Amino acid sequence: MIRIKNVYYMLSYAYRTLNEEGYKSIQAEEFKNIHDLIAAILIRGATIQRKRGFHRDYIGLTEVTGNLRGKIDVTNSIKQNTYMMRSMICHYDDFSENVQLNQILKTTMQLLILSGEVKDSNRKKLRKLSLFLGNVDTLEINNIKWSALTYHRNNASYKMLINICELVIKGLLMTTDSGKYKMNQFLDDQQMHRLYEKFLLGYFKKEYPQYSANPSQIDWNIDDGISNLLPTMNSDITLTKDSKTLIIDAKYYGKTMQTHTMFDSKSINSNNLYQIFTYVKNKDRNGSGNVSGLILYAKTDEEITPNNDYQIGGNRISVKTLDLGADWTEIVSQLDNVAELMQ
């Protein structure tokens, strides 16, 4: 089981903003569960954002009013006989805090306030912060289009906060039979997989600046120039330095090994192995042997966990396990061993 403190470190590398001075105090706190940790992060982040000023933007409003403003909708005013009330239908823009980013933030804070897993002191802080968003609406969470959210110079400071909100809503929230929401005890595997990938990429970017660490697209090593309908190959993390390349495929599963019931045996997941092998061989189009591959599993409670290196077709293919339940210093040591694969 992953330690709560380790989740904070993972979030810190995944979202570099958490390394800023304003969040340093969170590191010293002890958390009993993921809900309290995320509540503390949102409290600190929302407090910083309040001091900067919550984002405002122009939003379109329609109102029946006797104080004419904006564009008067004459046609609909006549249809609805609003002139009988000495009013007209007006369309106008209002410079308001009631924008989607603030709505998502407030909605997430309200969900955490209702969670029995968040300690009383943090719930009180969340309630107090919600008062500063008194004119902001809450949202129906199923209607949030996360991929449509955009960031620019004026709202860039929200990006980490909204990512944390998405983590809560997508990874912790579940619907009961009655249609009400309740919190999972831990993030679901899909969200942990995404966090795991972001964490690993962020770690190597920060701790190993001598390497170029990025997700990358790998081109097929085709012979005749025809690539129609071939699937795209995207690596989670690719480390490069000079002529050396290490392609890392991050895996966060409930189980890492595949079982062969007929022979009562276990082996490395064949699809994972085929995938990394394909990436490596297509990347190393000249057959130099300078391209290596690594499947990096998050450790499960299985009796057998892989920790193997293979030399296949002139390239090194490694399958390793990262124990996220270990002390943080041990995790750092394991990741440093991964970096040594570049040597």
Side-chain angles (χ1 to χ4, degrees):
M1 176 64 72
I2 184 171
R3 298 186 184 188
I4 300 301
K5 199 67 174 179
N6 290 345
V7 176
Y8 174 77
Y9 289 124
M10 292 173 69
L11 288 167
S12 296
Y13 281 104
Y15 306 114
R16 296 286 290 276
T17 311
L18 279 175
N19 290 315
E20 293 178 357
E21 194 62 35
Y23 293 88
K24 292 295 185 183
S25 60
I26 298 176
Q27 294 183 19
E29 295 186 44
E30 290 296 327
F31 301 98
K32 293 183 178 180
N33 55 59
I34 184 77
H35 315 81
D36 226 18
L37 167 62
I38 289 179
I41 293 172
L42 282 182
I43 289 166
R44 194 72 196 116
T47 300
I48 293 170
Q49 189 61 53
R50 179 178 66 82
K51 292 177 180 177
R52 290 174 177 162
F54 287 116
H55 180 59
R56 290 171 174 250
D57 207 343
Y58 287 100
I59 56 175
L61 298 175
T62 298
E63 183 182 14
V64 178
T65 178
N67 299 317
L68 302 184
R69 59 191 298 192
K71 182 179 179 181
I72 301 173
D73 189 338
V74 176
T75 302
N76 283 311
S77 295
I78 293 173
K79 286 181 180 179
Q80 297 181 29
N81 293 326
T82 60
Y83 63 89
M84 298 291 292
M85 300 179 290
R86 297 179 180 275
S87 299
M88 298 291 280
I89 298 174
C90 297
H91 305 293
Y92 61 93
D93 291 331
D94 186 37
F95 194 58
S96 170
E97 292 178 350
N98 194 23
V99 295
Q100 191 171 31
L101 295 179
N102 289 328
Q103 291 169 352
I104 291 172
L105 181 58
K106 183 176 180 178
T107 300
T108 307
M109 292 196 301
Q110 293 293 332
L111 291 169
L112 289 170
I113 289 170
L114 295 173
S115 171
E117 302 296 332
V118 177
K119 62 186 179 184
D120 289 342
S121 59
N122 279 341
R123 285 211 301 272
K124 288 178 182 177
K125 291 175 183 177
L126 287 170
R127 287 192 187 98
K128 185 176 179 180
L129 279 167
S130 292
L131 295 176
F132 292 99
L133 294 169
N135 295 323
V136 174
D137 298 330
T138 55
L139 296 171
E140 170 52 53
I141 59 174
N142 293 322
N143 294 333
I144 301 174
K145 294 180 172 58
W146 300 97
S147 61
L149 297 174
T150 57
Y151 300 94
H152 46 75
R153 184 179 62 183
N154 294 331
N155 66 9
S157 57
Y158 274 80
K159 190 168 186 179
M160 186 277 293
L161 280 175
I162 298 302
N163 280 326
I164 297 294
C165 291
E166 184 178 4
L167 207 61
V168 172
I169 291 173
K170 285 188 175 182
L172 280 175
L173 213 60
M174 59 184 294
T175 308
T176 64
D177 293 337
S178 64
K180 296 181 178 179
Y181 297 112
K182 72 173 186 177
M183 293 284 190
N184 281 322
Q185 290 302 304
F186 217 82
L187 292 170
D188 66 26
D189 283 352
Q190 182 179 5
Q191 292 302 312
M192 279 304 301
H193 194 168
R194 288 186 61 196
L195 176 57
Y196 185 51
E197 289 180 14
K198 286 177 175 288
F199 153 61
L200 291 174
L201 179 60
Y203 181 86
F204 290 115
K205 275 182 175 289
K206 183 176 187 297
E207 303 299 338
Y208 287 89
Q210 66 271 35
Y211 302 147
S212 172
N214 290 290
S216 67
Q217 182 170 314
I218 300 164
D219 296 325
W220 288 92
N221 186 13
I222 53 178
D223 297 324
D224 56 5
I226 300 174
S227 59
N228 294 349
L229 303 181
L230 286 176
T232 302
M233 294 186 288
N234 294 310
S235 73
D236 296 332
I237 304 146
T238 298
L239 303 182
T240 56
K241 184 182 180 184
D242 300 328
S243 62
K244 293 278 190 177
T245 298
L246 174 64
I247 300 172
I248 302 175
D249 197 13
K251 301 293 185 186
Y252 191 100
Y253 293 153
K255 289 187 177 181
T256 58
M257 306 295 288
Q258 62 184 16
T259 303
H260 306 278
T261 53
M262 183 177 294
F263 304 103
D264 191 27
S265 63
K266 295 182 180 295
S267 68
I268 296 165
N269 185 292
S270 55
N271 289 334
N272 297 163
L273 199 57
Y274 298 154
Q275 181 183 26
I276 196 68
F277 181 74
T278 302
Y279 285 1
V280 168
K281 298 308 288 185
N282 279 276
K283 183 69 174 178
D284 191 18
R285 55 182 58 229
N286 297 320
S288 66
N290 287 330
V291 180
S292 302
L294 167 65
I295 304 173
L296 189 56
Y297 289 106
K299 190 178 185 299
T300 66
D301 58 1
E302 295 169 283
E303 292 182 9
I304 301 175
T305 52
N307 184 24
N308 303 80
D309 295 285
Y310 306 98
Q311 199 70 24
I312 306 175
N315 299 90
R316 181 179 60 207
I317 305 292
S318 302
V319 185
K320 305 288 184 182
T321 303
L322 183 63
D323 185 2
L324 296 174
D327 185 79
W328 181 252
T329 56
E330 174 58 27
I331 293 175
V332 169
S333 176
Q334 293 175 54
L335 290 174
D336 291 342
N337 289 336
V338 168
E340 289 180 4
L341 295 174
M342 284 288 288
Q343 298 176 6

